[in-house]
Amino acid sequence: MKVIIAEDYTKQCSIAADIFEEIIRAKPDCCLGLATGSSPVGMYQELARRCREEGLDFSRVHSVNLDEYVGLEPTHDQSYRYFMDTNLFDHINIDKCNTYVAKGTGDVEANLREFNDVLASSEIDIQLLGVGGDGHIGFNEPGDSLYDHAHLEVLDESTIDANARFFASRDDVPRYAVTMGVGDIMRAKRLLLIINGNKEDAASQLLLGDRITPRCPVTLMKIHPDATVLIDRALADKIGYKG
Ligand code: GLP
């Protein structure tokens, strides 16, 4: 696992954008695995700038997203489809028909079949990841075991607490999500994690501990053949990681 310490969030975003740009320029019809949450927002802004000002071309790029809340329409301002449209897709020259965010409303089983079909026919060149405070990736919550494929996940109370800041009240946070399984994530050719903020526990387990455990799903990154962790200096210092 490669670890890069970035001086601050701006630098973290530009390094992440460099990694994505390199892949897009080398393979214009690549498939990007995308993520939501606050961690990737700055990187998406930087990719949009490079598209606008430097001609970074997304016209043949495909994308698949990690997850979606169950119960939110794609037009809901906290749905992950809406997040992707407003934070990235509306600002680059991607064909939205080539972007996939699982459906959160309607027949859950049918939605999961469709999600798994999309994943089975996609070869993800790079999967972007953030991490929950409890170590979850996508919405794969810690537990005795983890899922291989896309499935329905019951969100942990700590995840609901963490995500409540985006909703009018905690009661409005969905209790379920559909998410790629950890197997789907591990099958991506490359993984890139952006980690900063109050993620001390997950960062320590990933960078200082020797355990690979379903109790902290992000630790699976340790056994991926091409994984990069992009951590900011503040968090690296907080956990005493020297590189
Ligand atoms: C949500 C998403 C995760 C994301 C996590 C952390 O739970 N499902 O994919 O990594 O939030 O978000 P943030 O980057 O805002 O800390």
Side-chain angles (χ1 to χ4, degrees), residues 172-184:
D172 294 334
V173 184
R175 266 42 185 171
Y176 299 93
V178 285
T179 179
M180 281 188 201
V182 291
D184 296 315

Side-chain angles (χ1 to χ4, degrees), residues 1 18 36 38 110 120 141 155 190-191 207 211 214 226:
M1 203 171 62
D18 289 346
T36 54
S38 45
E141 297 285 22
L155 303 186
R190 207 165 157 186
L191 300 180
L207 299 179
R211 294 283 182 94
D226 192 354

Side-chain angles (χ1 to χ4, degrees), residues 36-40 66-67 80 130-132 136 138-139 159 163 165 199:
T36 54
S38 45
S39 304
L66 281 169
D67 47 17
Y80 286 166
V131 62
H136 74 234
F139 265 130
T159 300
N163 291 353
R165 68 189 193 278
K199 306 279 173 64

Side-chain angles (χ1 to χ4, degrees), residues 26-112:
K27 187 177 175 190
D29 61 347
C30 61
C31 179
L32 304 177
L34 299 176
T36 54
S38 45
S39 304
V41 169
M43 172 199 158
Y44 290 156
Q45 286 168 354
E46 177 58 15
L47 287 175
R49 189 197 64 74
R50 293 182 192 192
C51 176
R52 203 171 50 243
E53 295 176 11
E54 298 169 6
L56 181 60
D57 182 16
F58 290 83
S59 61
R60 293 167 62 202
V61 168
H62 286 65
S63 73
V64 185
N65 258 77
L66 281 169
D67 47 17
E68 178 60 286
Y69 285 119
V70 168
L72 301 190
E73 294 290 346
T75 49
H76 188 287
D77 68 3
Q78 291 307 324
S79 78
Y80 286 166
R81 162 51 74 179
Y82 184 91
F83 175 101
M84 288 311 304
D85 285 348
T86 52
N87 282 286
L88 183 65
F89 300 150
D90 289 344
H91 310 288
I92 58 176
N93 67 331
I94 201 164
D95 180 348
K96 277 199 198 172
C97 297
N98 293 337
T99 69
Y100 184 78
V101 183
K103 294 192 185 79
T105 51
D107 180 343
V108 175
E109 289 307 319
N111 294 344
L112 282 171

